[in-house]
mmCIF file of all heavy atoms in Angstrom:
data_model
loop_
_atom_site.group_PDB
_atom_site.id
_atom_site.type_symbol
_atom_site.label_atom_id
_atom_site.label_comp_id
_atom_site.label_asym_id
_atom_site.label_seq_id
_atom_site.Cartn_x
_atom_site.Cartn_y
_atom_site.Cartn_z
ATOM 1 N N GLY A 1206 -20.378 39.679 29.237
ATOM 2 C CA GLY A 1206 -20.707 40.588 28.191
ATOM 3 C C GLY A 1206 -21.402 40.054 27.037
ATOM 4 O O GLY A 1206 -21.785 38.903 27.030
ATOM 5 N N PRO A 1207 -21.695 40.832 25.926
ATOM 6 C CA PRO A 1207 -22.676 40.507 24.900
ATOM 7 C C PRO A 1207 -22.066 39.162 24.026
ATOM 8 O O PRO A 1207 -22.865 38.411 23.552
ATOM 9 C CB PRO A 1207 -22.577 41.660 23.930
ATOM 10 C CG PRO A 1207 -21.507 42.634 24.413
ATOM 11 C CD PRO A 1207 -21.138 42.331 25.907
ATOM 12 N N MET A 1208 -20.700 38.999 24.081
ATOM 13 C CA MET A 1208 -20.299 37.882 23.181
ATOM 14 C C MET A 1208 -20.780 36.650 23.973
ATOM 15 O O MET A 1208 -21.110 35.559 23.389
ATOM 16 C CB MET A 1208 -18.780 37.795 23.066
ATOM 17 C CG MET A 1208 -18.339 39.035 22.086
ATOM 18 S SD MET A 1208 -16.990 38.702 21.112
ATOM 19 C CE MET A 1208 -15.643 39.223 22.113
ATOM 20 N N VAL A 1209 -20.644 36.477 25.282
ATOM 21 C CA VAL A 1209 -20.995 35.276 26.048
ATOM 22 C C VAL A 1209 -22.426 35.144 25.978
ATOM 23 O O VAL A 1209 -23.025 33.976 25.640
ATOM 24 C CB VAL A 1209 -20.630 35.460 27.544
ATOM 25 C CG1 VAL A 1209 -21.151 34.276 28.401
ATOM 26 C CG2 VAL A 1209 -19.040 35.347 27.553
ATOM 27 N N GLN A 1210 -23.273 36.207 26.198
ATOM 28 C CA GLN A 1210 -24.641 36.099 26.090
ATOM 29 C C GLN A 1210 -25.118 35.681 24.736
ATOM 30 O O GLN A 1210 -26.081 34.760 24.591
ATOM 31 C CB GLN A 1210 -25.276 37.532 26.403
ATOM 32 C CG GLN A 1210 -26.188 37.615 27.689
ATOM 33 C CD GLN A 1210 -26.700 38.943 27.949
ATOM 34 O OE1 GLN A 1210 -26.701 39.788 27.103
ATOM 35 N NE2 GLN A 1210 -26.833 39.274 29.220
ATOM 36 N N GLY A 1211 -24.545 36.238 23.750
ATOM 37 C CA GLY A 1211 -24.948 35.892 22.367
ATOM 38 C C GLY A 1211 -24.656 34.449 22.101
ATOM 39 O O GLY A 1211 -25.615 33.738 21.477
ATOM 40 N N PHE A 1212 -23.578 33.902 22.450
ATOM 41 C CA PHE A 1212 -23.243 32.507 22.301
ATOM 42 C C PHE A 1212 -24.296 31.651 23.084
ATOM 43 O O PHE A 1212 -24.833 30.660 22.560
ATOM 44 C CB PHE A 1212 -21.950 32.113 22.619
ATOM 45 C CG PHE A 1212 -21.668 30.647 22.554
ATOM 46 C CD1 PHE A 1212 -21.735 29.905 21.294
ATOM 47 C CD2 PHE A 1212 -21.539 29.883 23.778
ATOM 48 C CE1 PHE A 1212 -21.587 28.567 21.314
ATOM 49 C CE2 PHE A 1212 -21.416 28.536 23.735
ATOM 50 C CZ PHE A 1212 -21.476 27.961 22.583
ATOM 51 N N GLU A 1213 -24.557 31.980 24.381
ATOM 52 C CA GLU A 1213 -25.427 31.246 25.242
ATOM 53 C C GLU A 1213 -26.822 31.161 24.437
ATOM 54 O O GLU A 1213 -27.476 30.006 24.402
ATOM 55 C CB GLU A 1213 -25.558 31.913 26.600
ATOM 56 C CG GLU A 1213 -24.321 31.735 27.292
ATOM 57 C CD GLU A 1213 -24.390 32.346 28.764
ATOM 58 O OE1 GLU A 1213 -25.111 33.320 28.986
ATOM 59 O OE2 GLU A 1213 -23.553 31.846 29.592
ATOM 60 N N GLU A 1214 -27.394 32.334 23.882
ATOM 61 C CA GLU A 1214 -28.562 32.208 23.309
ATOM 62 C C GLU A 1214 -28.640 31.368 21.950
ATOM 63 O O GLU A 1214 -29.475 30.503 21.817
ATOM 64 C CB GLU A 1214 -29.006 33.637 22.766
ATOM 65 C CG GLU A 1214 -29.553 34.462 23.999
ATOM 66 C CD GLU A 1214 -29.652 35.983 23.629
ATOM 67 O OE1 GLU A 1214 -29.620 36.387 22.526
ATOM 68 O OE2 GLU A 1214 -29.643 36.695 24.778
ATOM 69 N N ASP A 1215 -27.549 31.440 21.216
ATOM 70 C CA ASP A 1215 -27.370 30.654 20.085
ATOM 71 C C ASP A 1215 -27.320 29.018 20.261
ATOM 72 O O ASP A 1215 -27.927 28.255 19.651
ATOM 73 C CB ASP A 1215 -26.128 31.056 19.275
ATOM 74 C CG ASP A 1215 -26.293 32.366 18.550
ATOM 75 O OD1 ASP A 1215 -27.325 32.936 18.722
ATOM 76 O OD2 ASP A 1215 -25.318 32.872 17.975
ATOM 77 N N PHE A 1216 -26.469 28.787 21.278
ATOM 78 C CA PHE A 1216 -26.270 27.380 21.582
ATOM 79 C C PHE A 1216 -27.640 26.738 22.276
ATOM 80 O O PHE A 1216 -27.862 25.686 22.034
ATOM 81 C CB PHE A 1216 -25.053 27.152 22.493
ATOM 82 C CG PHE A 1216 -24.650 25.650 22.426
ATOM 83 C CD1 PHE A 1216 -24.196 25.096 21.291
ATOM 84 C CD2 PHE A 1216 -24.747 24.910 23.646
ATOM 85 C CE1 PHE A 1216 -23.674 23.816 21.327
ATOM 86 C CE2 PHE A 1216 -24.467 23.454 23.665
ATOM 87 C CZ PHE A 1216 -23.852 23.063 22.380
ATOM 88 N N ALA A 1217 -28.357 27.505 23.141
ATOM 89 C CA ALA A 1217 -29.613 27.023 23.624
ATOM 90 C C ALA A 1217 -30.476 26.802 22.392
ATOM 91 O O ALA A 1217 -31.165 25.700 22.437
ATOM 92 C CB ALA A 1217 -30.128 28.080 24.591
ATOM 93 N N GLY A 1218 -30.542 27.704 21.508
ATOM 94 C CA GLY A 1218 -31.381 27.425 20.227
ATOM 95 C C GLY A 1218 -30.903 26.117 19.514
ATOM 96 O O GLY A 1218 -31.729 25.461 19.141
ATOM 97 N N PHE A 1219 -29.580 25.898 19.433
ATOM 98 C CA PHE A 1219 -29.083 24.805 18.763
ATOM 99 C C PHE A 1219 -29.477 23.518 19.427
ATOM 100 O O PHE A 1219 -29.865 22.470 18.749
ATOM 101 C CB PHE A 1219 -27.548 24.850 18.714
ATOM 102 C CG PHE A 1219 -26.848 23.759 18.076
ATOM 103 C CD1 PHE A 1219 -26.615 23.576 16.758
ATOM 104 C CD2 PHE A 1219 -26.335 22.632 18.848
ATOM 105 C CE1 PHE A 1219 -25.916 22.543 16.203
ATOM 106 C CE2 PHE A 1219 -25.592 21.594 18.328
ATOM 107 C CZ PHE A 1219 -25.405 21.585 17.090
ATOM 108 N N CYS A 1225 -28.732 28.196 28.289
ATOM 109 C CA CYS A 1225 -27.471 27.717 28.074
ATOM 110 C C CYS A 1225 -26.558 28.604 28.970
ATOM 111 O O CYS A 1225 -26.716 29.894 28.916
ATOM 112 C CB CYS A 1225 -26.951 27.729 26.766
ATOM 113 S SG CYS A 1225 -25.177 27.587 26.474
ATOM 114 N N VAL A 1226 -25.699 28.055 29.857
ATOM 115 C CA VAL A 1226 -24.781 28.810 30.690
ATOM 116 C C VAL A 1226 -23.266 28.528 30.238
ATOM 117 O O VAL A 1226 -23.026 27.352 30.386
ATOM 118 C CB VAL A 1226 -25.080 28.580 32.186
ATOM 119 C CG1 VAL A 1226 -24.135 29.510 33.049
ATOM 120 C CG2 VAL A 1226 -26.561 28.743 32.538
ATOM 121 N N GLY A 1227 -22.548 29.441 29.697
ATOM 122 C CA GLY A 1227 -21.172 29.120 29.346
ATOM 123 C C GLY A 1227 -20.233 28.986 30.617
ATOM 124 O O GLY A 1227 -20.402 29.797 31.455
ATOM 125 N N VAL A 1228 -19.516 28.083 30.606
ATOM 126 C CA VAL A 1228 -18.533 27.893 31.669
ATOM 127 C C VAL A 1228 -17.161 27.486 31.032
ATOM 128 O O VAL A 1228 -16.878 27.530 29.850
ATOM 129 C CB VAL A 1228 -18.968 26.738 32.567
ATOM 130 C CG1 VAL A 1228 -20.281 27.080 33.321
ATOM 131 C CG2 VAL A 1228 -19.055 25.415 31.878
ATOM 132 N N PHE A 1377 -16.301 22.405 24.983
ATOM 133 C CA PHE A 1377 -15.750 22.860 23.596
ATOM 134 C C PHE A 1377 -14.285 22.754 23.449
ATOM 135 O O PHE A 1377 -13.670 23.647 22.816
ATOM 136 C CB PHE A 1377 -16.400 24.339 23.415
ATOM 137 C CG PHE A 1377 -17.896 24.418 23.585
ATOM 138 C CD1 PHE A 1377 -18.289 25.188 24.695
ATOM 139 C CD2 PHE A 1377 -18.626 23.759 22.802
ATOM 140 C CE1 PHE A 1377 -19.786 25.346 24.823
ATOM 141 C CE2 PHE A 1377 -20.100 23.808 22.970
ATOM 142 C CZ PHE A 1377 -20.453 24.684 24.033
ATOM 143 N N LEU A 1383 -17.868 20.927 18.160
ATOM 144 C CA LEU A 1383 -17.843 22.305 18.196
ATOM 145 C C LEU A 1383 -16.699 22.614 19.202
ATOM 146 O O LEU A 1383 -16.803 22.213 20.444
ATOM 147 C CB LEU A 1383 -19.154 22.961 18.733
ATOM 148 C CG LEU A 1383 -19.054 24.441 19.005
ATOM 149 C CD1 LEU A 1383 -18.699 25.196 17.800
ATOM 150 C CD2 LEU A 1383 -20.358 24.885 19.581
ATOM 151 N N ALA A 1389 -13.248 25.731 26.947
ATOM 152 C CA ALA A 1389 -14.616 26.207 27.033
ATOM 153 C C ALA A 1389 -15.581 25.175 27.366
ATOM 154 O O ALA A 1389 -15.317 23.914 26.917
ATOM 155 C CB ALA A 1389 -14.963 27.016 25.808
ATOM 156 N N GLY A 1390 -16.758 25.392 28.002
ATOM 157 C CA GLY A 1390 -17.838 24.501 27.981
ATOM 158 C C GLY A 1390 -19.096 25.241 28.363
ATOM 159 O O GLY A 1390 -19.154 26.447 28.315
ATOM 160 N N ALA A 1391 -20.134 24.322 28.502
ATOM 161 C CA ALA A 1391 -21.506 25.025 28.719
ATOM 162 C C ALA A 1391 -22.391 23.958 29.338
ATOM 163 O O ALA A 1391 -22.290 22.651 29.136
ATOM 164 C CB ALA A 1391 -22.004 25.462 27.490
ATOM 165 N N LEU A 1426 -17.014 31.306 31.248
ATOM 166 C CA LEU A 1426 -16.552 31.257 29.734
ATOM 167 C C LEU A 1426 -15.969 32.526 29.434
ATOM 168 O O LEU A 1426 -16.471 33.613 29.485
ATOM 169 C CB LEU A 1426 -17.821 30.899 28.961
ATOM 170 C CG LEU A 1426 -17.743 30.841 27.442
ATOM 171 C CD1 LEU A 1426 -16.614 29.806 26.910
ATOM 172 C CD2 LEU A 1426 -18.873 30.755 26.703
ATOM 173 N N ALA A 1428 -14.903 35.580 27.105
ATOM 174 C CA ALA A 1428 -15.595 35.993 26.084
ATOM 175 C C ALA A 1428 -15.127 35.918 24.700
ATOM 176 O O ALA A 1428 -15.842 35.701 23.715
ATOM 177 C CB ALA A 1428 -15.604 37.685 26.301
ATOM 178 N N GLN A 1430 -13.504 33.322 23.581
ATOM 179 C CA GLN A 1430 -13.888 31.841 23.192
ATOM 180 C C GLN A 1430 -15.310 31.823 22.849
ATOM 181 O O GLN A 1430 -15.688 31.092 21.849
ATOM 182 C CB GLN A 1430 -13.593 30.918 24.370
ATOM 183 C CG GLN A 1430 -12.146 30.709 24.708
ATOM 184 C CD GLN A 1430 -11.232 30.456 23.610
ATOM 185 O OE1 GLN A 1430 -11.736 29.978 22.535
ATOM 186 N NE2 GLN A 1430 -9.971 30.797 23.654
ATOM 187 N N ALA A 1431 -16.221 32.482 23.537
ATOM 188 C CA ALA A 1431 -17.617 32.563 23.280
ATOM 189 C C ALA A 1431 -17.772 33.236 21.813
ATOM 190 O O ALA A 1431 -18.535 32.686 21.146
ATOM 191 C CB ALA A 1431 -18.353 33.467 24.303
ATOM 192 N N GLY A 1432 -17.175 34.292 21.543
ATOM 193 C CA GLY A 1432 -17.253 34.921 20.206
ATOM 194 C C GLY A 1432 -16.825 33.922 19.127
ATOM 195 O O GLY A 1432 -17.473 33.746 18.068
ATOM 196 N N ILE A 1433 -15.614 33.159 19.372
ATOM 197 C CA ILE A 1433 -15.255 32.205 18.495
ATOM 198 C C ILE A 1433 -16.236 31.142 18.266
ATOM 199 O O ILE A 1433 -16.537 30.637 17.126
ATOM 200 C CB ILE A 1433 -13.789 31.696 18.884
ATOM 201 C CG1 ILE A 1433 -12.729 32.767 18.696
ATOM 202 C CG2 ILE A 1433 -13.497 30.334 18.326
ATOM 203 C CD1 ILE A 1433 -11.347 32.383 19.446
ATOM 204 N N LEU A 1434 -16.735 30.635 19.403
ATOM 205 C CA LEU A 1434 -17.726 29.531 19.377
ATOM 206 C C LEU A 1434 -19.008 29.978 18.516
ATOM 207 O O LEU A 1434 -19.609 29.165 17.781
ATOM 208 C CB LEU A 1434 -18.193 29.218 20.787
ATOM 209 C CG LEU A 1434 -17.021 28.318 21.482
ATOM 210 C CD1 LEU A 1434 -17.350 28.287 22.850
ATOM 211 C CD2 LEU A 1434 -16.920 26.926 20.941
ATOM 212 N N ARG A 1435 -19.342 31.264 18.690
ATOM 213 C CA ARG A 1435 -20.515 31.731 17.994
ATOM 214 C C ARG A 1435 -20.357 31.555 16.462
ATOM 215 O O ARG A 1435 -21.193 31.188 15.629
ATOM 216 C CB ARG A 1435 -20.813 33.144 18.299
ATOM 217 C CG ARG A 1435 -22.265 33.578 18.276
ATOM 218 C CD ARG A 1435 -22.441 34.900 18.968
ATOM 219 N NE ARG A 1435 -23.815 35.123 18.754
ATOM 220 C CZ ARG A 1435 -24.453 36.266 18.906
ATOM 221 N NH1 ARG A 1435 -23.622 37.349 19.204
ATOM 222 N NH2 ARG A 1435 -25.860 36.402 18.622
ATOM 223 N N VAL A 1436 -19.202 32.037 16.086
ATOM 224 C CA VAL A 1436 -18.782 31.941 14.659
ATOM 225 C C VAL A 1436 -18.820 30.391 14.236
ATOM 226 O O VAL A 1436 -19.413 30.135 13.134
ATOM 227 C CB VAL A 1436 -17.347 32.583 14.300
ATOM 228 C CG1 VAL A 1436 -16.968 32.223 12.956
ATOM 229 C CG2 VAL A 1436 -17.331 34.057 14.606
ATOM 230 N N LYS A 1437 -18.142 29.619 14.869
ATOM 231 C CA LYS A 1437 -18.027 28.113 14.522
ATOM 232 C C LYS A 1437 -19.308 27.400 14.649
ATOM 233 O O LYS A 1437 -19.511 26.366 13.924
ATOM 234 C CB LYS A 1437 -16.894 27.515 15.333
ATOM 235 C CG LYS A 1437 -15.490 28.090 15.082
ATOM 236 C CD LYS A 1437 -14.394 27.324 15.761
ATOM 237 C CE LYS A 1437 -14.215 25.890 15.196
ATOM 238 N NZ LYS A 1437 -13.147 25.244 15.903
ATOM 239 N N LEU A 1438 -20.210 27.867 15.571
ATOM 240 C CA LEU A 1438 -21.529 27.097 15.701
ATOM 241 C C LEU A 1438 -22.275 27.079 14.300
ATOM 242 O O LEU A 1438 -23.010 26.178 14.134
ATOM 243 C CB LEU A 1438 -22.272 27.786 16.823
ATOM 244 C CG LEU A 1438 -23.741 27.195 17.098
ATOM 245 C CD1 LEU A 1438 -23.691 25.797 17.525
ATOM 246 C CD2 LEU A 1438 -24.459 28.076 18.155
#
Side-chain angles (χ1 to χ4, degrees):
M1208 291 213 265
V1209 172
Q1210 243 176 28
F1212 171 69
E1213 289 177 340
E1214 279 162 24
D1215 290 355
F1216 195 69
F1219 176 86
C1225 164
V1226 185
V1228 296
F1377 306 119
L1383 173 59
L1426 172 59
Q1430 298 305 336
I1433 284 169
L1434 287 166
R1435 208 172 182 196
V1436 170
K1437 293 184 71 179
L1438 179 60

